[in-house]
């Protein structure tokens, strides 16, 4: 048994060490100047011509961005674009033929598989930590207040400074972008999945921002009276109460009114604001949606076409 355990540990060590050797040269330390304050985080090169992926909260609003590689090379970086709603950003440095890492398929990862993080916790450059995928399909709020879906939970130790760094699988592919830790808990850390990053990066490289569907309401979550749920035969017990409508917005054009309660969008439930945000993606722009609403204690339907908004 002892020899077997030694061989197993050696195999694990070789895997983790191999990921570091193949990938560490693509991981960067990011230093930012925001007014009189300084900050930092991590990032990684994902193209040979200098595009770097990191967290939005690391570089948003920065007046100056500088990156440092493990070999000591330093370069000034420019912000290409950032998306606070998913806490992702792309910056670029003017260097060519760089070592880079590839985004893997986060749809294929499983709970229990190896997770390897490389970053710069508390400024300690190119620190490696390893653990496993603890859970999948988590949701967490970005600093903008919007939910980030399908977040990866890992017990690979992360600390301030790891933000924006890569979370690797055993094949040295990036499966997540490290973004948050739960304090004061230990071993509960989160990463934005690479599948989300691929969609966001495409938008940021093309437009410098991410466009989402917009209907122009001000709403709040509300619990429905039991009588309305029963009479309307509703599958939800809550909805989105409309308390304001922007002039000339899709909601205004569609005839939505203050006091309406949205309980469904097409064939999907809308039990709260998060459900509405989940459906109002870039893919919703220009496509008609049917809102199920409660108006003056009666269920009715409104056709609305979302427009684009950053």
């Amino acid at each position: 048994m002892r020899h077997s355990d030694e061989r197993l540990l050696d195999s694990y060590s070789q895997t983790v060490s191999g990921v570091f050797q193949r990938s560490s040269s693509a991981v960067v330390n990011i230093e930012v100047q925001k007014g009189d304050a300084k900050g930092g985080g991590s990032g990684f090169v994902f193209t040979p011509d200098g595009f770097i992926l990191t967290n939005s909260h690391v570089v948003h609003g920065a007046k100056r961005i500088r990156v440092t590689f493990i070999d000591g090379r330093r370069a000034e970086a420019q912000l290409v674009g950032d998306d606070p709603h998913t806490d992702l950003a792309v910056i670029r440095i003017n260097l060519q033929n760089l070592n880079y890492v590839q985004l893997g398929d986060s749809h294929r990862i499983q709970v229990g598989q190896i997770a390897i993080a490389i970053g710069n916790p508390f400024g300690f450059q190119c620190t490696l930590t390893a653990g496993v995928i603890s859970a999948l399909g988590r949701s967490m709020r970005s600093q903008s207040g919007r939910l980030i879906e399908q977040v990866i939970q890992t017990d690979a130790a992360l600390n301030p400074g790891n933000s924006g760094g890569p979370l690797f699988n055993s094949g040295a592919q990036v499966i997540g972008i490290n973004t948050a830790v739960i304090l004061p808990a230990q071993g509960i850390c989160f990463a934005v999945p690479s599948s989300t990053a691929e969609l966001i990066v495409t938008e940021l490289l093309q437009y410098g921002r991410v466009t989402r569907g917009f209907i122009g309401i001000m709403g709040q979550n509300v619990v429905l009276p039991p009588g309305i749920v029963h009479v309307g035969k509703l599958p939800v017990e809550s909805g989105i109460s409309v308390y304001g409508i922007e002039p000339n917005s899709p909601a205004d054009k569609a005839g939505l009114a203050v006091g309406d309660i949205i309980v469904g969008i097409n064939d999907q439930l809308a039990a709260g604001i998060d459900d509405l945000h989940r459906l109002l993606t870039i893919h919703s722009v220009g496509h008609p949606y049917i809102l199920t609403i409660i108006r003056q204690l009666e269920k009715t339907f409104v056709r609305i076409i979302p427009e684009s908004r950053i």
Side-chain angles (χ1 to χ4, degrees):
M1 282 293 293
R2 182 175 180 180
H3 293 299
S4 176
D5 290 343
E6 288 176 350
R7 286 196 298 269
L8 180 62
L9 179 61
D10 187 61
S11 176
Y12 173 83
S13 299
Q14 288 181 8
T15 297
V16 174
S17 180
V19 169
F20 184 83
Q21 292 173 15
R22 294 164 61 183
S23 308
S24 59
S25 60
V27 179
V28 298
N29 181 31
I30 299 176
E31 301 171 274
V32 299
Q33 185 79 39
K34 298 182 179 182
D36 295 330
K38 293 182 179 180
S42 304
F44 59 92
V45 181
F46 66 95
T47 69
D49 53 346
F51 286 98
I52 295 169
L53 190 56
T54 185
N55 282 156
S56 171
H57 78 259
V58 171
V59 296
H60 185 79
K63 292 184 177 179
R64 185 180 186 184
I65 307 171
R66 177 180 290 179
V67 305
T68 304
F69 289 85
I70 191 173
D71 62 5
R73 285 179 300 163
R74 309 186 77 180
E76 297 291 325
Q78 292 74 45
L79 178 65
V80 175
D82 74 309
D83 181 47
H85 296 318
T86 55
D87 199 18
L88 295 174
V90 173
I91 61 176
R92 189 179 190 184
I93 57 176
N94 189 26
L95 294 175
Q96 301 291 322
N97 300 317
L98 294 169
N99 290 332
Y100 65 98
V101 291
Q102 295 181 329
L103 293 175
D105 185 358
S106 58
H107 292 300
R108 301 180 62 183
I109 63 177
Q110 299 180 25
V111 172
Q113 77 176 67
I114 293 174
I116 302 164
I118 302 177
N120 307 282
F122 297 106
F124 292 103
Q125 191 169 351
C126 241
T127 298
L128 179 146
T129 56
V132 298
I133 302 298
S134 303
L136 299 171
R138 299 296 198 206
S139 296
M140 62 173 290
R141 294 206 180 274
S142 65
Q143 291 187 348
S144 72
R146 195 169 184 140
L147 276 184
I148 307 175
E149 302 286 350
Q150 302 302 316
V151 170
I152 301 166
Q153 181 182 333
T154 177
D155 68 349
L158 302 178
N159 289 284
N162 276 111
S163 293
L167 185 70
F168 292 102
N169 61 16
S170 58
Q173 295 177 316
V174 178
I175 53 174
I177 295 82
N178 300 319
T179 192
V181 296
I182 297 296
L183 297 174
Q186 296 182 358
I188 302 179
C189 308
F190 298 106
V192 178
S194 58
S195 57
T196 298
E198 283 189 316
L199 295 174
I200 298 302
V201 164
T202 299
E203 292 284 306
L204 294 180
L205 292 178
Q206 283 189 293
Y207 309 111
R209 62 184 187 273
V210 177
T211 303
R212 290 179 173 84
F214 157 75
I215 62 174
I217 69 165
M218 288 167 278
Q220 62 185 7
N221 295 344
V222 63
V223 177
L224 300 175
I228 293 180
V229 175
H230 176 71
V231 172
K233 298 180 180 179
L234 301 176
V236 292
E237 298 180 353
S238 61
I240 305 161
S241 177
V242 178
Y243 66 86
I245 295 176
E246 293 190 27
N248 299 315
S249 67
D252 190 18
K253 297 171 186 175
L256 275 176
V258 172
D260 289 345
I261 301 175
I262 302 170
V263 295
I265 305 175
N266 286 351
D267 57 351
Q268 300 190 49
L269 304 179
I273 291 291
D274 290 333
D275 291 333
L276 183 62
H277 284 164
R278 192 175 294 115
L279 296 172
L280 290 177
T281 66
I282 180 62
H283 305 294
S284 68
V285 175
H287 297 282
Y289 280 66
I290 303 299
L291 301 183
T292 303
I293 65 171
I294 302 298
R295 176 179 292 171
Q296 297 179 350
L297 305 183
E298 293 186 357
K299 183 168 67 174
T300 187
F301 304 93
V302 172
R303 184 178 184 270
I304 193 168
I305 301 177
E307 297 175 359
S308 64
R309 168 163 288 190
I310 298 173

